[in-house]
Amino acid sequence: MPFVKIDLTREGVTREQKQQLISGVTNLITEVLNKDPHLTHVVINEIELDNWGYAGEQVSILREKGITADKK
Amino acid sequence: MPFVKIDLTREGVTREQKQQLISGVTNLITEVLNKDPHLTHVVINEIELDNWGYAGEQVSILREKGITADKK
Amino acid sequence: MPFVKIDLTREGVTREQKQQLISGVTNLITEVLNKDPHLTHVVINEIELDNWGYAGEQVSILREKGITADKK
Amino acid sequence: MPFVKIDLTREGVTREQKQQLISGVTNLITEVLNKDPHLTHVVINEIELDNWGYAGEQVSILREKGITADKK
Amino acid sequence: MPFVKIDLTREGVTREQKQQLISGVTNLITEVLNKDPHLTHVVINEIELDNWGYAGEQVSILREKGITADKK
Amino acid sequence: MPFVKIDLTREGVTREQKQQLISGVTNLITEVLNKDPHLTHVVINEIELDNWGYAGEQVSILREKGITADKK
């Protein structure tokens, strides 16, 4: 009985990327825990940049300063 | 001190249905646990169909295939 | 596709009361939204009294003062 | 490793107020728990008034009746 | 800035399985969204079987009836 | 109508620190948003170190390696 919630900043995640997250997480849980995928739900929760704070600052301000969350 | 969060797919839930969920859950908790309803909050969180995955697939795709969540 | 999380203070809720909450919420969602109950999950999350704050005070302290959450 | 989620009714909270909440919560956690702020995330989740219930009623209806959540 | 919460029934998930879930989800998000893994947090929330309801019944009761969540 | 959930690793947070978090967050919300504190709930959710992952690793393993979350 797994339920997975992914909180993300809303920064242009595409429909295809969402599908990749959903199938990837569901497959992972099926493989690691041997769970029936019909009992696994995944919810993606996109958060506005003004509404996410990191190290005390709004992500919208971090992005204006050129600070990204990209992998280097 | 109960707080209830209902995650739902965004599929045309009406204002009246939301009110029925809110009053129904609040009454249930009052009856079962004898809680003061002024300490009970209920939040309904509507999720876009692209953002909810079931059995590894986006609900938006399931709906395109004609698969619903309706009670049979 | 509903997922319901009920946050409650841990104050002796019995197994039977939990079952009443689970069946009550599931029936309510089935009736109001016509959802297949096999797609409805309900999770009860019991919180220690030191870990819940109301009006700025720990519930454990409120209880020591004789303030309850009971319906009057 | 703290993650803080603030659920609020969507009632005109400004960008500056959100920044005050984010920096205030992050500072509080840094002071009380001595946590590195680079490990603290704060998410503000704004909820439509039809989707928040208090004491069994939608907040949108409470507001129509002139009942506010303002500090007296 | 991703934060992932995995709600699971508490049924003997081992430390190694938890590590596989954590590294698997973090890698997936890094690959699909190109996110810096130092900004990704994953939390596993294990729920007692009496506290999870599926289709209106406690999972503890479903298990007593021999109904599992295993992949067939 | 604010509800605040603080997810933290379970690492010896004292009752007094919890009270400081609860009163601090409640005061902050009262000041920034002018909300009646009787409508503000704060929940602290302590997570086992095996169950929190950061950058793909369990916090329990990070701690064994001497990596802390302390402010430098």
Side-chain angles (χ1 to χ4, degrees), chain E residues 3-68:
Chain E
F3 180 83
V4 181
K5 187 168 274 185
I6 303 173
D7 288 322
L8 282 177
T9 41
R10 190 188 295 279
E11 299 184 86
V13 180
T14 67
R15 193 186 189 200
E16 287 67 30
Q17 288 175 315
K18 291 175 185 176
Q19 177 54 35
Q20 288 171 32
L21 291 175
I22 286 167
S23 63
V25 168
T26 306
N27 289 342
L28 178 73
I29 286 173
T30 304
E31 284 162 27
V32 174
L33 300 178
N34 193 38
K35 292 282 189 187
D36 182 351
H38 289 89
L39 295 170
T40 296
H41 294 256
V42 180
V43 165
I44 299 167
N45 197 20
E46 293 175 281
I47 308 288
E48 301 301 324
L49 299 194
D50 279 353
N51 288 17
W52 193 302
Y54 170 65
E57 277 204 280
Q58 279 171 309
V59 174
S60 57
I61 291 177
L62 295 173
R63 294 292 178 268
E64 285 166 17
K65 293 181 179 174
I67 300 169
T68 74

Side-chain angles (χ1 to χ4, degrees), chain B residues 12-65:
Chain B
V13 180
T14 66
R15 194 186 190 200
E16 286 67 31
Q17 288 174 315
K18 292 175 184 176
Q19 176 54 34
Q20 289 171 32
L21 291 174
I22 287 167
S23 62
V25 168
T26 306
N27 288 342
L28 179 73
I29 287 174
T30 304
E31 283 162 29
V32 175
L33 300 177
N34 192 37
K35 292 281 189 188
D36 182 351
H38 289 89
L39 296 169
T40 297
H41 295 257
V42 180
V43 166
I44 299 168
N45 196 20
E46 293 175 281
I47 308 287
E48 302 298 326
L49 299 195
D50 278 354
N51 289 17
W52 192 301
Y54 169 65
E57 276 204 280
Q58 279 169 309
V59 174
S60 55
I61 291 176
L62 295 173
R63 293 293 178 269
E64 286 166 17
K65 293 181 179 173

